[in-house]
Amino acid sequence: MFKKIILILSFLLCSQVALGQNKRYFKMAQRAYKKGEYKSSLSILRKKYNIKSSKVNSAVLQLYALNLEKLSRYETALKYYLRLMNKQYRKLNRKVMRKVARTKSYDDLGELPKKLLFYYSRTAIIFSRLYQRDISKGNKRRLGFYKAKTKMFGEICLEQEYAEDEVEEAIGRLDKVDQEIKKKVFRKSWLASIEYVSWHDSVDLVSESTGIATELISTTEGWCLGGGWQKENDFIEYNFKGCLAFAGATIGVRNSGQSAIEYKQSGVFVLGLLAGPGVIWKPKGTPVGFGVSLPFVYRSGSYQDATVAGESFTIDGATKISLGPLIESQWHYTKWDFVIKFGKLLNFPGSYWSLGMQYNF
């Protein structure tokens, strides 16, 4: 009998020692968690507790799940929160889930335990994080599941007035993610444009008798009517635009004071075609964009031949083909874009600029 008493006392003593050691290790894991040392906290819990055991303390499982959540191991953290629900509130949790599924309502659930609401709030937050993480993968079925679960667990918490700020942030995260994805989705559209254009031009006045060429310089200005096609999202735009210019030019001899030849012609009709690809970058999705374009350029002018001091001259270069690398700035407002372009057309003596607007259909 005495031996039995000794054995019982020894067992109780060992149990108390083990319990004390477990509490000490749990507090160590808690301190590591509070310091942000989540991996260290997990390591302590794994070494000192049988996490897979059904008898492990709920507080240990909860700390384990919180560490996993902080390390973005969301799927694994979810498993432990669901395990905690079933471990502590199996019947109540099933009752709540069935009622919500049947009535599609979050009213009349009665006052739920705070600990169960804690598990619900963490579950809602994790599902919203999974939605945010996996949105780019485009799995609509899975994303729909994440969104539905976020709203279900979140609405239960809101109805119970529990962790409202965190839960509202989780539900709001869904809309925020949807908006960000919407900004990245490409849209295609047609456009019509009108621009006022100006460029410096040149042709040669060639003597028929000597073949000597004298360079003539002009400033050409007018309206350019056109349109195009664009593929864009809120951050970048790819386009192909073109316009037909109806312009007038005043042309004369370069360095006329140093030339023996006098030539000047005003009101010269110039027809121009500019068409080519471009790209516009929109920093941080703002309505202001900057970009480049590379239009093909065709220009034809009605320049007149001349007779100077009895000598006949002809115009060479009345038609010209070129490319025009241009820098663009664009400001978007509703369906309108206001556009500024500046650059230099190859084989043209000076700069090119335009001011215009376009309407996006």
Side-chain angles (χ1 to χ4, degrees):
M1 182 67 181
F2 180 73
K3 289 183 178 180
K4 288 183 179 180
I5 294 173
I6 294 296
L7 286 172
I8 292 171
L9 290 175
S10 299
F11 175 77
L12 290 174
L13 180 61
C14 290
S15 297
Q16 290 297 318
V17 171
L19 184 61
Q21 288 179 335
N22 284 343
K23 286 183 178 180
R24 183 164 63 88
Y25 288 125
F26 182 73
K27 288 182 179 180
M28 288 174 58
Q30 278 185 318
R31 285 196 294 270
Y33 174 81
K34 290 178 180 179
K35 291 179 181 179
E37 299 170 357
Y38 308 120
K39 290 184 178 180
S40 177
S41 181
L42 281 176
S43 179
I44 294 169
L45 294 174
R46 277 196 294 261
K47 287 180 180 179
K48 301 304 176 182
Y49 299 93
N50 184 2
I51 299 298
K52 294 182 179 180
S53 172
S54 60
K55 296 181 181 181
V56 68
N57 188 279
S58 295
V60 173
L61 286 180
Q62 180 177 309
L63 182 57
Y64 197 80
L66 287 169
N67 277 298
L68 291 169
E69 187 180 345
K70 289 293 187 180
L71 292 170
S72 301
R73 293 169 59 182
Y74 298 127
E75 288 90 347
T76 310
L78 264 179
K79 291 178 182 179
Y80 283 96
Y81 285 127
L82 293 174
R83 181 176 163 185
L84 283 163
M85 292 179 204
N86 290 323
K87 180 180 175 67
Q88 296 178 265
Y89 305 101
R90 180 184 295 272
K91 290 183 179 180
L92 179 58
N93 181 52
R94 285 183 177 179
K95 181 181 176 181
V96 171
M97 293 298 104
R98 286 172 180 172
K99 188 170 185 178
V100 169
R102 185 177 68 254
T103 64
K104 308 298 182 185
S105 173
Y106 307 100
D107 302 328
D108 303 323
L109 295 177
E111 186 175 352
L112 300 177
K114 298 299 182 185
K115 184 62 70 173
L116 179 59
L117 290 172
F118 173 78
Y119 300 148
Y120 283 172
S121 67
R122 299 320 306 173
T123 301
I125 291 167
I126 287 177
F127 274 121
S128 74
R129 291 293 186 188
L130 288 170
Y131 185 81
Q132 183 181 37
R133 187 196 68 185
D134 293 350
I135 189 71
S136 60
K137 297 178 182 178
N139 189 325
K140 293 183 179 180
R141 184 176 180 180
R142 179 178 297 176
L143 293 172
F145 174 77
Y146 292 160
K147 181 179 283 190
K149 292 299 182 182
T150 300
K151 290 184 176 180
M152 182 187 74
F153 286 108
E155 292 295 343
I156 292 173
C157 292
L158 293 177
E159 186 64 31
Q160 297 279 321
E161 298 182 353
Y162 182 85
E164 293 174 276
D165 291 341
E166 284 186 287
V167 170
E168 285 179 351
E169 183 181 352
I171 295 175
R173 186 177 296 118
L174 303 177
D175 295 331
K176 186 177 180 180
V177 170
D178 288 342
Q179 289 298 319
E180 288 300 314
I181 291 300
K182 187 177 179 181
K183 290 179 180 180
K184 295 178 181 179
V185 173
F186 279 95
R187 308 173 293 275
K188 299 176 183 178
S189 62
W190 296 93
L191 61 93
S193 64
I194 180 170
E195 302 174 61
Y196 189 80
V197 298
S198 176
W199 69 86
H200 293 289
D201 207 340
S202 68
V203 295
D204 289 330
L205 187 66
V206 182
S207 170
E208 291 186 349
S209 60
T210 64
I212 297 174
T214 302
E215 186 179 22
L216 305 179
I217 298 298
S218 74
T219 298
T220 305
E221 296 182 350
W223 292 98
C224 202
L225 308 177
W229 174 88
Q230 59 192 9
K231 178 181 178 181
E232 63 174 334
N233 60 24
D234 284 14
F235 303 99
I236 194 168
E237 171 192 312
Y238 303 99
N239 61 60
F240 189 94
K241 302 177 185 179
C243 69
L244 189 62
F246 303 89
T250 297
I251 189 167
V253 177
R254 180 193 286 269
N255 300 323
S256 58
Q258 302 175 13
S259 174
I261 299 175
E262 293 184 5
Y263 179 95
K264 187 174 184 180
Q265 185 182 356
S266 300
V268 178
F269 176 72
V270 177
L271 185 68
L273 173 66
L274 297 92
V279 59
I280 301 290
W281 291 274
K282 308 168 189 177
K284 298 182 180 180
T286 62
V288 178
F290 305 92
V292 294
S293 62
L294 186 64
F296 162 84
V297 180
Y298 171 84
R299 186 270 292 147
S300 179
S302 301
Y303 305 102
Q304 295 181 358
D305 296 336
T307 300
V308 180
E311 185 177 358
S312 297
F313 292 83
T314 58
I315 297 293
D316 182 31
T319 298
K320 187 179 287 187
I321 295 175
S322 180
L323 288 174
L326 305 176
I327 297 173
E328 298 187 25
S329 177
Q330 178 175 292
W331 179 64
H332 180 77
Y333 178 74
T334 63
K335 286 185 171 291
W336 293 92
D337 287 323
F338 300 90
V339 184
I340 300 173
K341 299 179 184 178
F342 181 82
K344 187 179 184 304
L345 307 180
L346 302 180
N347 300 322
F348 282 68
S351 61
Y352 169 98
W353 62 264
S354 71
L355 296 173
M357 62 178 62
Q358 66 185 42
Y359 181 81
N360 306 296
F361 295 99

